[in-house]
Amino acid sequence: LYSLSECVTELGRLRGKGGEERRSFITEFWRNSNRETRFLLHKLLTGGFRVGVSRAVVVKALAKYSGRDEALLAHRLIGRSSPEEFSPEVLFQPED
């Protein structure tokens, strides 16, 4: 069973592969996932994943949750373009 993050990473790896290999992976993931995870996967695959909140609201919530400075968190979120580059550990690590 893959986590959603592992699934997104695997789909990135499969980008240059044939359609049958991608289809097989998605089918296996779908069969072995719960309803909420399947919903998120389909939203990501179709480009329909929109939370509906501004970046500022997300940064404010993360700052409140973590006790970190909003400017620091906003800076750490900039330029993260792939799942491999991002993790909560990186986002919430202590300041240098």
Side-chain angles (χ1 to χ4, degrees):
L1 180 63
Y2 290 95
S3 69
L4 186 58
S5 174
E6 291 168 332
C7 179
V8 171
T9 299
E10 184 65 13
L11 287 171
R13 187 187 72 73
L14 291 172
R15 186 173 292 157
K17 305 292 182 182
E20 186 55 42
E21 191 172 350
R22 290 190 309 247
R23 187 175 10 267
S24 175
F25 173 78
I26 291 170
T27 301
E28 177 188 344
F29 181 87
W30 194 86
R31 286 182 180 149
N32 294 307
S33 299
N34 63 30
R35 183 174 182 235
E36 291 83 11
T37 304
R38 287 191 305 266
F39 173 76
L40 287 173
L41 172 67
H42 288 285
K43 289 298 225 173
L44 289 169
L45 290 175
T46 61
F49 187 73
R50 293 178 26 167
V51 178
V53 296
S54 73
R55 182 181 187 102
V57 171
V58 171
V59 170
K60 187 179 290 280
L62 290 171
K64 185 174 181 179
Y65 166 78
S66 68
R68 302 276 187 248
D69 180 64
E70 285 182 38
L72 173 69
L73 292 174
H75 177 73
R76 289 181 177 174
L77 287 170
I78 293 172
R80 307 284 183 194
S81 60
S82 72
E84 297 86 17
E85 296 178 20
F86 181 79
S87 71
E89 292 80 19
V90 171
L91 183 62
F92 300 129
Q93 70 186 356
E95 295 181 51
D96 293 337

